[in-house]
């Protein structure tokens, strides 16, 4: 898209007379609208940057928005502008209002794994050790928080024994979180919403601060996010939301596409602007997307169009089995790269589930085609590395409560949740860290002798190890640390196989070796670093490694349809166009085909120049070869824009189908003549 705005984009940017919904189709330049509108509010409407907030869902989207805005506005008026994710906005509110919420400064934020560890201990205490139950309870608590249910509400509304078990776990989970001065990810939205509902003066303060709010990807908001937005803007109605109900693909994490339609109920003066001109894809690809998504019901109608006329037909490739499908895609990429003279990074292969990439990776390796797998687990996201990093963080900052809580019982030291709850309450009352609390005389008043001995033993071992790290060569000390705690035995007890445990232990040794390399690289130079700087560098490397996922190297992109949202590629393959894969079996059973169709729409609209859809005629399932049923979405595509490939058998099937349709149409004509 060029630097000038089209008439509809311009209308969206300049409308400030009330609440605005910008219905933005795929590739229609919505980020430009948001960034230009921020500049318009500052430069033309005289609203200070510090009184404007723009929120979106990913750090990447927020980063991109910040970069674009910085090119449009600068100077004193731009200062203090908030461009962040929903969760970052929530975190800023909590940081400012932590006393009103009953938290100490420096509270910890539990990620999914930290939360799971706490829930596991709670359920084990209740005599439940099933990992499936653990996952269900964790998901249920997250859903309750997104629906703004407190533990008390969850208990009162429990209808089944399973509901009651989850609700009671929720009660304990919240009690322990509070005792640890900790929040989980969902609290970052829930707590500000509850605070605003209960404390009118706090809400008024934030309404004064945020005088204009812009929200990106509005179709992905859940109930709590919707309420946060509504409460902040209800007084002034100074709001622009940008969204596309056809790209709402996150129902499994609480997203509600109906929030778009609900805006009309909450804001009677809502103005609607549709962005339908697409700057990404050929007309033929857009036509296919429009025809497929037209099968879904819509609160708002729209149809994408493009100045890029025509385009290559969409190819439907039938393959013998899943092995042939993966081989065909790999061979096609190599062939097209040579014929078209394009780069590997111009190709993307999309699929419904991560498991579909395994065979494809093998084939791409065989053809020596470089690829990058998006959404794989970052080295620093692995549990063993998070454990190791928590030990390292404690060595340089013993007052890091989140790190303390992660490893105080890993491996098990028989320091249970109730001991930690009492320790947490004591440290909160004394306004000190958990580590400091371990050394205080007064702790003997709240812990029994056995529990006191165990926490003090851990704290004194930590103190000795820390001292040795600074007095001796730290690398042997760190290696000894993991031997002392028998971490490899802990991994063997908790891994799926001895090989998995060894691999995880190797990751820990690799982390220590990385530190050694860092320490040795600067030895004897003016830039020589100590262990604390080396650990800080490792934390930074984690951040850099996550950023590397956005690198620009010449590799084919492999990613799920969910992960592809917001991206675009010249040449796209979508694999596994079969019933029970796309649409997914769970969605068929739950009669939720509409979201699967939106996923298909997202996949189609990632393609700029060419699109190929593949499916396997047979597929192995649980060791048995079964015949597949081609996806219903293939039948929904406009037939005149398709080329079917895959042998005579398929052509005969298509011919038979066409023949039946023609015969049926003739019979209908004859009936109407009679």
């Amino acid at each position: 898209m060029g630097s000038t705005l089209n008439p509809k984009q311009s209308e969206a940017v300049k409308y400030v007379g009330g609440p605005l919904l910008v219905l933005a189709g795929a590739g229609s330049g919505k980020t430009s609208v948001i960034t230009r509108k921020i500049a318009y509010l500052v430069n033309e409407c005289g609203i200070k940057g510090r009184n404007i907030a723009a929120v979106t869902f990913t750090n990447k989207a927020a980063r991109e928005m910040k970069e674009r805005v910085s090119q449009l506005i600068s100077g004193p008026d731009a200062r203090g502008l908030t461009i962040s994710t929903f969760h970052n906005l929530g975190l800023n509110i909590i940081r400012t209002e932590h006393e009103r919420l009953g938290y100490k400064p420096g509270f910890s934020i539990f990620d999914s794994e930290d939360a799971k560890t706490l829930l596991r201990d709670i359920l084990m205490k209740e005599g439940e050790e099933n990992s499936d139950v653990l996952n269900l309870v964790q998901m249920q608590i997250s859903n309750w928080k997104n629906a703004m249910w407190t533990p008390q509400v969850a208990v009162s509304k429990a209808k089944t024994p399973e509901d009651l078990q989850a609700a009671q776990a929720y009660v304990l989970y919240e009690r322990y979180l509070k005792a640890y001065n900790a929040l989980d990810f969902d609290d970052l939205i829930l707590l500000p919403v509850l605070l605003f509902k209960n404390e009118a003066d706090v809400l008024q303060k934030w309404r004064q601060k945020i005088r204009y709010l812009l929200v990106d990807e509005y179709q992905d908001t859940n109930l709590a996010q919707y309420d946060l937005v509504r409460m902040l803007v209800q007084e002034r109605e100074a709001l622009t939301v940008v969204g596309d109900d056809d790209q709402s693909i996150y129902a499994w994490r609480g997203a509600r596409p109906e929030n778009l339609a609900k805006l009309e109920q909450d804001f009677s003066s809502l103005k609607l602007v549709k962005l339908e001109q697409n700057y990404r894809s050929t007309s033929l690809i857009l036509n296919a997307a429009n025809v497929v998504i037209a099968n879904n019901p819509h609160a708002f109608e729209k149809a994408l169009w493009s100045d890029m006329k025509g385009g290559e037909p969409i190819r439907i490739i039938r393959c013998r089995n899943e092995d042939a499908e993966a081989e065909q895609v790999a061979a096609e990429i190599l062939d097209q790269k040579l014929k078209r003279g394009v780069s590997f990074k111009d190709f993307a292969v999309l699929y419904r589930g991560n498991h579909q990439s395994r065979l494809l990776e093998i084939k791409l390796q065989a053809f020596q085609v470089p690829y990058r797998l998006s959404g794989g687990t970052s080295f620093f996201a692995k549990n063993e590395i998070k454990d190791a990093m928590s030990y390292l963080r404690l060595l340089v900052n013993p007052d890091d409560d989140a790190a303390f809580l992660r490893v105080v019982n890993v491996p098990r030291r028989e320091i249970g949740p109730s001991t930690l709850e009492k320790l947490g309450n004591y440290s909160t009352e004394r306004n000190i860290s958990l580590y400091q609390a371990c050394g205080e005389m007064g702790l003997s008043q709240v812990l029994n002798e056995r529990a006191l001995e165990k926490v003090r033993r851990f704290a004194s071992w930590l103190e000795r190890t820390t001292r040795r790290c600074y007095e001796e060569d730290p690398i042997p000390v760190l290696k000894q640390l993991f031997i002392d705690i028998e971490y490899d035995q802990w991994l063997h007890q908790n891994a799926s196989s001895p090989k998995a445990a060894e691999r995880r232990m190797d990751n820990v040794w690799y982390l220590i070796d990385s530190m050694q390399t860092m320490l040795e690289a600067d030895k004897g130079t003016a830039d020589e670093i100590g262990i604390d700087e080396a650990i800080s560098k490792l934390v930074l490397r984690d951040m850099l490694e996550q950023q590397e996922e956005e690198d620009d190297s010449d590799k084919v992109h492999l990613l799920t349809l969910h992960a592809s949202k917001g991206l675009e590629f010249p040449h796209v393959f979508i694999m596994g166009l079969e019933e029970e894969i796309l649409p997914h079996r769970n969605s068929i059973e739950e009669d939720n085909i509409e979201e699967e169709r939106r996923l298909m729409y997202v996949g189609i609209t990632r393609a700029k120049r060419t699109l190929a859809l593949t499916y396997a005629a047979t597929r192995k399932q649980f060791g048995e070869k079964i015949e597949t049923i081609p996806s219903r979405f293939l039948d929904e595509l406009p037939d005149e824009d398709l080329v079917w490939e895959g042998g005579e058998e398929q052509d005969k099937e298509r011919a038979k189908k066409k023949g039946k349709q023609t015969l049926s149409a003739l019979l209908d004509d004859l009936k109407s003549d009679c």
Side-chain angles (χ1 to χ4, degrees), residues 123 126 128 133 137 140 144 154-155 157-169:
L123 290 171
E126 304 293 308
E128 179 62 73
V133 171
V137 168
Q140 183 62 74
W144 279 331
V155 169
K157 297 202 175 201
K159 289 188 172 68
T160 65
E162 290 77 21
D163 283 349
L164 188 60
Q165 181 192 27
Q168 286 166 340

Side-chain angles (χ1 to χ4, degrees), residues 180-198:
Y180 299 163
N181 196 39
L183 323 167
D184 68 17
F185 196 61
D186 297 312
D187 285 330
L188 298 179
I189 307 294
L190 174 67
L191 291 178
V193 170
L194 294 177
L195 180 67
F196 287 168
K197 281 189 171 177
N198 299 326

Side-chain angles (χ1 to χ4, degrees), residues 267-282:
F267 302 100
S268 55
S269 60
L270 184 76
K271 180 179 172 69
L272 174 67
V273 174
K274 298 180 188 179
L275 303 184
E276 295 170 298
Q277 183 175 358
N278 173 287
Y279 293 89
R280 176 187 296 159
S281 310
T282 64

Side-chain angles (χ1 to χ4, degrees), residues 653-670:
E653 283 173 25
R654 298 294 299 171
K656 271 185 200 170
K657 189 175 175 187
K658 278 282 174 210
K660 278 182 185 171
Q661 287 170 346
T662 310
L663 186 61
S664 174
L666 283 169
L667 287 169
D668 287 343
D669 284 347
L670 284 169

Side-chain angles (χ1 to χ4, degrees), residues 126-275:
E126 304 293 308
E128 179 62 73
E129 291 187 47
N130 186 323
S131 63
D132 289 341
V133 171
L134 172 63
N135 291 332
L136 283 170
V137 168
Q138 185 172 20
M139 193 166 69
Q140 183 62 74
I141 290 173
S142 178
N143 290 341
W144 279 331
K145 288 193 175 193
N146 289 332
M148 294 178 308
W149 284 22
T150 60
Q152 292 68 36
V153 172
V155 169
S156 69
K157 297 202 175 201
K159 289 188 172 68
T160 65
E162 290 77 21
D163 283 349
L164 188 60
Q165 181 192 27
Q168 286 166 340
Y170 184 16
V171 171
L172 288 170
Y173 174 72
E174 282 302 288
R175 211 172 85 201
Y176 287 134
L177 273 183
K178 202 70 192 283
Y180 299 163
N181 196 39
L183 323 167
D184 68 17
F185 196 61
D186 297 312
D187 285 330
L188 298 179
I189 307 294
L190 174 67
L191 291 178
V193 170
L194 294 177
L195 180 67
F196 287 168
K197 281 189 171 177
N198 299 326
E199 310 281 350
D201 61 317
V202 177
L203 174 57
Q204 199 54 41
K205 178 174 122 183
W206 283 89
R207 280 178 174 172
Q208 283 299 110
K209 178 174 165 47
I210 298 174
R211 298 187 180 200
Y212 203 101
L213 183 63
L214 302 99
V215 186
D216 187 21
E217 304 286 11
Y218 200 73
Q219 74 282 348
D220 293 338
T221 53
N222 59 34
L223 196 58
Q225 287 158 340
Y226 183 90
D227 264 19
L228 183 63
V229 169
R230 186 178 52 79
M231 283 193 284
L232 281 170
V233 302
Q234 212 157 27
E235 202 170 64
R236 276 192 189 82
E237 297 198 343
L239 170 73
T240 293
V241 309
V242 181
D244 181 5
D245 49 349
D246 290 333
Q247 293 189 74
S248 183
I249 55 173
Y250 298 114
W252 48 277
R253 63 181 192 207
R256 295 157 56 97
E258 60 269 29
N259 283 351
L260 282 170
K262 210 168 163 225
L263 281 165
E264 289 185 305
Q265 298 161 27
D266 286 341
F267 302 100
S268 55
S269 60
L270 184 76
K271 180 179 172 69
L272 174 67
V273 174
K274 298 180 188 179
L275 303 184

Side-chain angles (χ1 to χ4, degrees), residues 482-495:
F482 290 101
I483 293 165
D484 284 350
I485 64 174
E486 299 178 341
Y487 191 71
D488 59 336
Q489 290 177 31
W490 162 255
L491 289 177
H492 274 87
Q493 286 162 18
N494 290 279

